[in-house]
Amino acid sequence: MSYNPYTLSQVDTTRQRTIISQVYAWMTAGLLVTGAIAMFVASSEALTGLILGTPLYLVLALVEFGLVWYLSSRINKLAVSTATMLFLLYSALNGLTLSAIFLIYTSASIATTFFITAGTFAAMSVYGYVTKRDLTTIGNLCFMALIGFLLASLVNIFLRSTGLYWVLTYLGILIFVGLTAWDTQMIRRMSESASSETEGQRVAIFGALHLYLNFINLFLLLLRIFGNNDD
């Protein structure tokens, strides 16, 4: 399966709408799985003691990274059922590691941040879908900035610079806002060029993964600003 954002086949409107609906349905399913597992783990002292602050947490984080890489790079060759299972597995593992936020922030501030994230995400996703402007340049810049963001975040684990922490927070928000618009436009183009039902289902899982990652990262960065850890 090959996608060229500049050379599109004749649009099958019905298939395209179905694919786009599936993208957001799977993304929502992934978020629900993550949220449900995170809340369940946070409510269990035994599970939080087993996962958080232990070597298992690092193992889970590495497995998550591997799943994202594998799913993104092999989506064209995986069976749809396998791709779907891996996406939901990643969502579940992410719930295990994200359970920590329920121990750090109040439920009210988490809920508030979630709605802020949802509104921001929706606005940028709609923009990416309807705009006639080619966002490829913006997307490439955001991707390069993301690499710098990740490297700087890793360095700051050791530096523990408060100033750099906040610079990275606001930079990260801008990056994932831009990536949301770009990924949405890319997904729309991919849905236009999907020539079969199976190809469309692969696009749906691929797109759901990208938008899910954008939403989660945007949420975590906004939580740094709006999260309240008062008792």
Side-chain angles (χ1 to χ4, degrees):
M1 180 174 61
S2 177
Y3 303 106
N4 186 334
Y6 300 103
T7 305
L8 302 178
S9 62
Q10 185 175 1
V11 178
D12 182 328
T13 304
T14 301
R15 178 180 292 133
Q16 181 190 2
R17 289 177 178 174
T18 300
I19 293 170
I20 296 301
S21 297
Q22 290 175 342
V23 167
Y24 289 100
W26 281 119
M27 186 197 81
T28 302
L31 291 175
L32 289 174
V33 169
T34 298
I37 291 180
M39 287 188 288
F40 176 75
V41 172
S43 67
S44 170
E45 187 174 343
L47 288 174
T48 55
L50 176 65
I51 297 171
L52 304 179
T54 70
L56 180 58
Y57 185 90
L58 178 60
V59 172
L60 290 172
L62 291 174
V63 171
E64 288 180 48
F65 177 81
L67 278 175
V68 169
W69 174 82
Y70 183 79
L71 185 54
S72 297
S73 62
R74 301 284 296 178
I75 187 66
N76 296 345
K77 299 180 179 180
L78 291 173
V80 173
S81 58
T82 302
T84 303
M85 180 191 69
L86 291 177
F87 171 65
L88 293 177
L89 175 60
Y90 171 76
S91 301
L93 293 177
N94 210 22
L96 296 178
T97 55
L98 290 183
S99 59
I101 67 172
F102 289 96
L103 304 178
I104 299 172
Y105 302 104
T106 63
S107 297
S109 65
I110 291 174
T112 299
T113 305
F114 180 86
F115 286 114
I116 293 173
T117 305
T120 304
F121 177 91
M124 296 312 300
S125 194
V126 168
Y127 172 75
Y129 188 83
V130 303
T131 185
K132 297 185 182 300
R133 179 183 179 184
D134 186 357
L135 301 179
T136 302
T137 300
I138 292 176
N140 289 335
L141 289 174
C142 286
F143 183 76
M144 289 186 289
L146 177 60
I147 295 174
F149 170 83
L150 294 174
L151 292 175
S153 297
L154 181 62
V155 169
N156 204 40
I157 292 176
F158 304 98
L159 293 180
R160 297 187 178 183
S161 168
T162 302
L164 182 57
Y165 173 87
W166 287 111
V167 168
L168 290 173
T169 296
Y170 287 101
L171 175 62
I173 290 171
L174 291 176
I175 290 172
F176 286 105
V177 162
L179 285 175
T180 297
W182 179 45
D183 284 337
T184 302
Q185 185 177 81
M186 177 183 66
I187 293 164
R188 188 198 73 198
R189 290 171 170 174
M190 291 167 66
S191 70
E192 291 173 345
S193 62
S195 58
S196 67
E197 182 178 352
T198 298
E199 191 172 336
Q201 290 173 338
R202 288 194 175 114
V203 170
I205 296 299
F206 180 82
L209 175 64
H210 276 249
L211 294 184
Y212 169 93
L213 290 171
N214 290 339
F215 189 100
I216 289 292
N217 283 289
L218 184 58
F219 169 72
L220 293 175
L221 289 166
L222 288 171
L223 196 56
R224 294 183 183 182
I225 300 172
F226 299 106
N228 187 341
N229 57 8
D230 291 340
D231 294 331

